[in-house]
Amino acid sequence: MKEKRETVYVKADRNSVCYEPQVKIKDVMSVQCTDPAICSAIKNKTLYAFKKTETSKKKRIEVFSILNVIELIQADFPEVEVLSYGEQDFVVEYISSRIAPKWMEIIKVVVMCVVIFLGSAFTIMAFNNDVSVGEVFDRFYMQIMGTKKPNVTEIEVFYCLGLAVGILVFFNHVGKKKITSDPTPIQVEMRKYEKDVDTTFIENAGRKGHEHDVN
């Protein structure tokens, strides 16, 4: 009677981030099988090691095929059957663990806050001028009060407050806290952007022959 082969299940995410130059299989995918020894050995097997010339850069990206992983596993365990339930091609992103100086991080935050504040202010003022919000307020005040509107009234105050509240509600954030458990619009757009970037990396690596695949 033919002996039953051990089945190993692997599941890779589209993108994995590693902070150590030596990337193990367990760092980029989930592994499961009934034999604990085989499972542990596969998880701790080295998938890729970034070279010193590569680790000198703050960020490196490599693209892998799941067939390459299956080949590595079966090189040590030829008797096992590997089944993949994740991505067929995936990206491994290595980020150097070197910590930037505190003063540099502060400068980055300050510059980013200034740019966002000025950009947002310019956008809001340009929109208000484009749709003639000032004239609308003047006419509205005249119709309600019957007199010419002063320079600053309750309308402008409540308009500014409503604008601020609307932005906070729309972006679902107050400081570090979220108003609801739903993903914020920025998080949704960032996930879409990351997905498009990963797809581009995978397609470019495949066309240029830089993908880690079976021979």
Side-chain angles (χ1 to χ4, degrees):
M1 183 176 179
K2 187 176 180 180
E3 185 179 355
K4 184 179 178 181
R5 300 178 66 188
E6 182 71 34
T7 302
V8 178
Y9 302 92
V10 295
K11 179 178 178 292
D13 294 327
R14 172 61 68 92
N15 185 297
S16 299
V17 178
C18 300
Y19 299 95
E20 296 295 333
Q22 188 171 2
V23 181
K24 298 182 179 180
I25 290 180
K26 66 179 180 180
D27 297 328
V28 299
M29 62 180 60
S30 302
V31 181
Q32 181 60 39
C33 70
T34 56
D35 190 322
I38 294 178
C39 188
S40 177
I42 292 174
K43 286 182 179 180
N44 290 283
K45 185 175 179 60
T46 300
L47 174 64
Y48 184 78
F50 288 92
K51 300 176 183 178
K52 292 183 178 180
T53 55
E54 295 173 338
T55 56
S56 61
K57 299 178 180 179
K58 187 176 181 181
K59 184 177 179 181
R60 284 284 301 172
I61 292 177
E62 295 290 336
V63 178
F64 294 84
S65 168
I66 193 65
L67 295 178
N68 178 241
V69 179
I70 294 175
E71 184 180 48
L72 290 175
I73 294 174
Q74 292 185 332
D76 291 345
F77 303 97
E79 73 283 357
V80 304
E81 179 182 6
V82 184
L83 298 180
S84 172
Y85 288 92
E87 297 288 340
Q88 302 306 305
D89 299 286
F90 57 95
V91 176
V92 176
E93 183 177 349
Y94 168 73
I95 299 178
S96 175
S97 58
R98 291 176 297 177
I99 301 176
K102 187 70 174 178
W103 61 268
M104 185 176 294
E105 295 295 331
I106 294 175
I107 291 176
K108 288 181 180 179
V109 172
V110 171
V111 171
M112 185 174 63
C113 290
V114 171
V115 171
I116 293 175
F117 176 79
L118 295 178
S120 302
F122 177 80
T123 302
I124 293 172
M125 289 187 293
F127 171 78
N128 290 339
N129 290 332
D130 189 42
V131 299
S132 302
V133 173
E135 295 181 7
V136 173
F137 286 169
D138 291 340
R139 293 179 182 179
F140 182 77
Y141 191 88
M142 176 66 73
Q143 291 176 352
I144 299 299
M145 304 302 295
T147 59
K148 186 178 180 180
K149 188 180 77 67
N151 292 330
V152 180
T153 63
E154 295 84 353
I155 299 177
E156 285 82 6
V157 174
F158 284 104
Y159 175 74
C160 294
L161 293 176
L163 190 64
V165 172
I167 292 173
L168 292 175
V169 172
F170 176 78
F171 287 102
N172 194 22
H173 252 289
V174 179
K176 294 183 179 180
K177 296 183 179 180
K178 296 173 63 176
I179 300 175
T180 66
S181 59
D182 297 333
T184 67
I186 293 180
Q187 288 176 324
V188 173
E189 292 302 320
M190 285 300 297
R191 297 295 86 79
K192 290 180 180 179
Y193 172 75
E194 289 177 357
K195 185 176 180 180
D196 292 340
V197 170
D198 291 339
T199 301
T200 303
F201 272 124
I202 291 171
E203 291 180 354
N204 287 344
R207 292 176 182 176
K208 296 178 181 179
H210 295 165
E211 182 179 12
H212 295 270
D213 204 345
V214 293
N215 296 325

